Amino acid sequence: MVLVQIPMCNEREVSISMLPDVCVLYDLLVTSIVFQLYQLVFSSIGYILAPLCLTESSLIVYEQSISAVCQLDWPKDRILIQVLDDSDDENIQWLIKGEVSKWSQKGVNIIYRHRLVRTGYKAGNLKSAMNCDYVKDYEFVAIFDADFQPNPDFLKLTVPHFKYTPELGLVQARWAFVNRDENLLTRLQNVNMCFHFEVEQQVNGVYLNFFGFNGTAGVWRIKALEESGGWLERTTVEDMDIAVRAHLNGWKFIFLDDVKVLCELPESYEAYRKQQHRWHSGPMQLFRLCLPAIITSKIAFWKKANLILLFFLLRKLILPFYSFTLFCIILPLTMFVPEAELPAWVICYVPVIMSFMSILPAPRYFPFIVPYLLFENTMSVTKFNAMISGLFQLGSSYEWVVTKKAGRSSEPDLLAAEERESKAMNHPQLHRGVSDSGLSELNKLKEHQEAAPKPPVKKMNKIFKKELALAFLLLTAAVRSLLSAQGVHFYFLLFQGISFLLVGLDLIGEQMS
């Protein structure tokens, strides 16, 4: 018996898929220098190709996630889907209700839940759903965030792992990104995520039977959740919190690298920055809370050392502190102090080796190793600030901001979803849930929302003052290095300063609307 949960909150984004080859050609034309010089020559081509690029398929994010989950290949009498909507927009609520009612009419065992008291963010939402009386009839719970689209065979590839391993508490699948090559920002994020999955999760899963739960695309044994204290609202990383508590209670985890679930990477720097702030402040906040329990737990000493030194401190505290203080503060300041000198291996060999090791799980991104190194140093400002915020329980450590996504889907994904849905429409199913008249009213509301004229969306660059201040410091230090003939320092400071300038002016990734 499997319970499937889709927590969501104000999912307004629309998934858009355009004709790729034609639109890429058109984009190259309108952005090339040749086109600017010979606009009259290419204008006729532009007028022909532009309408073709407007040919698109679209699904709202909540539609594609609900559609994918409702088509999971599992016996209908052994699965229940909970759509856990925390939206505060009544229009969004009614649209999601309509989508749930549509699938309920097709015979899918699906229900809609909306909390009256919306506390605790995602953890509170999941905790509320697990308190339902009917949950006691289910043995496993699969969780998918709103932009995740599992394949129909997801449960058949994950749930059987529990059969012969009673101490297994979690089976985690890998994420696959539909927009990993959308822009430079998504490419650099994909490098980090490949390292996270293949090293931090796959290796730890094999040798330690433990890793941090990703919060989605995973299946839990409900008994493991209950014995570990369930979902708690004490931090913004409820997924990491439950994983640590389950590990301390002796439960084992499995990571399946070959089972992939489609999702998105944030395409704007603003959205990515907020995501990383939560991902680095939350663990430090959790570290303060869990440290006594880790020390007094009955797990092996080397597992305690792994939790404290590697899981919490190395990636979340030591590396951001090292990158920020050394490359953003100490190195540029040494340019103004003639007596100070940093050896080349500190500023050159160590970061290059670390970047090489990080990019190794994603070999096709080796051409981006230099931008990756510079961008990671730039992101150290956000990560360092988040780490301090979480460690000392500052106000920003309690902020939980839903990561804004573009709502993208690849063309094959949308076509496959449309084909699966049309097949489901052609097969007569048991009708349940709401009456035909109620469903009709909901569909009318949805059509009205889609037909209503939308105001033009304006995108603008956001100015990040901390990054610009560090860009000024680094570029000034680069000039000072040039005057003092310190070659290797000059090139590093120059390019690092330029990367801070680009990020500070919001010139990397998409702009926020």
Side-chain angles (χ1 to χ4, degrees), residues 335 477-479 481-483 486-495:
M335 297 299 101
V479 174
S481 174
L482 181 63
L483 296 176
Q486 298 187 39
V488 64
H489 297 84
F490 165 74
Y491 291 111
F492 176 82
L493 291 169
L494 175 65
F495 290 119

Side-chain angles (χ1 to χ4, degrees), residues 165-170 208-210 220 224 227-228 242-253 297-300 303 307:
T165 314
E167 66 274 16
L168 182 62
L170 167 67
L208 301 176
N209 295 123
F210 167 74
W220 277 94
E227 291 187 356
S228 303
I242 186 63
V244 171
R245 287 184 280 120
H247 181 55
L248 295 180
N249 277 297
W251 291 98
K252 295 182 178 181
F253 303 165
S297 67
K298 297 180 181 180
I299 62 175
K303 289 187 176 182
L307 267 177

